[in-house]
mmCIF file of all heavy atoms in Angstrom:
data_model
loop_
_atom_site.group_PDB
_atom_site.id
_atom_site.type_symbol
_atom_site.label_atom_id
_atom_site.label_comp_id
_atom_site.label_asym_id
_atom_site.label_seq_id
_atom_site.Cartn_x
_atom_site.Cartn_y
_atom_site.Cartn_z
ATOM 1 N N LYS M 14 157.910 21.084 2.914
ATOM 2 C CA LYS M 14 158.193 19.719 2.436
ATOM 3 C C LYS M 14 157.213 18.692 2.996
ATOM 4 O O LYS M 14 156.699 17.865 2.245
ATOM 5 C CB LYS M 14 159.643 19.324 2.780
ATOM 6 C CG LYS M 14 160.682 20.196 2.102
ATOM 7 C CD LYS M 14 162.092 19.826 2.498
ATOM 8 C CE LYS M 14 162.391 19.942 3.963
ATOM 9 N NZ LYS M 14 162.434 21.320 4.493
ATOM 10 N N SER M 38 161.382 8.821 15.690
ATOM 11 C CA SER M 38 160.951 7.477 16.065
ATOM 12 C C SER M 38 162.138 6.626 16.522
ATOM 13 O O SER M 38 162.049 5.909 17.518
ATOM 14 C CB SER M 38 160.240 6.827 14.879
ATOM 15 O OG SER M 38 159.857 5.520 15.190
ATOM 16 N N LYS M 51 172.966 15.994 21.640
ATOM 17 C CA LYS M 51 174.076 15.385 20.901
ATOM 18 C C LYS M 51 174.911 16.395 20.121
ATOM 19 O O LYS M 51 176.012 16.069 19.685
ATOM 20 C CB LYS M 51 173.534 14.323 19.949
ATOM 21 C CG LYS M 51 172.620 13.315 20.624
ATOM 22 C CD LYS M 51 172.988 11.919 20.264
ATOM 23 C CE LYS M 51 172.062 10.923 20.921
ATOM 24 N NZ LYS M 51 172.702 10.155 21.958
ATOM 25 N N ASN M 71 158.257 3.630 -4.117
ATOM 26 C CA ASN M 71 157.039 4.300 -4.544
ATOM 27 C C ASN M 71 156.573 5.302 -3.482
ATOM 28 O O ASN M 71 155.423 5.320 -3.079
ATOM 29 C CB ASN M 71 155.926 3.280 -4.839
ATOM 30 C CG ASN M 71 154.784 3.903 -5.602
ATOM 31 O OD1 ASN M 71 154.993 4.686 -6.523
ATOM 32 N ND2 ASN M 71 153.562 3.571 -5.204
ATOM 33 N N ILE M 113 162.096 28.856 15.832
ATOM 34 C CA ILE M 113 163.414 28.414 15.369
ATOM 35 C C ILE M 113 164.181 27.603 16.423
ATOM 36 O O ILE M 113 164.902 26.677 16.078
ATOM 37 C CB ILE M 113 164.241 29.618 14.862
ATOM 38 C CG1 ILE M 113 165.445 29.139 14.067
ATOM 39 C CG2 ILE M 113 164.647 30.538 15.988
ATOM 40 C CD1 ILE M 113 166.097 30.205 13.224
#
Side-chain angles (χ1 to χ4, degrees):
K14 297 178 300 291
S38 178
K51 308 228 181 250
N71 194 42
I113 194 164

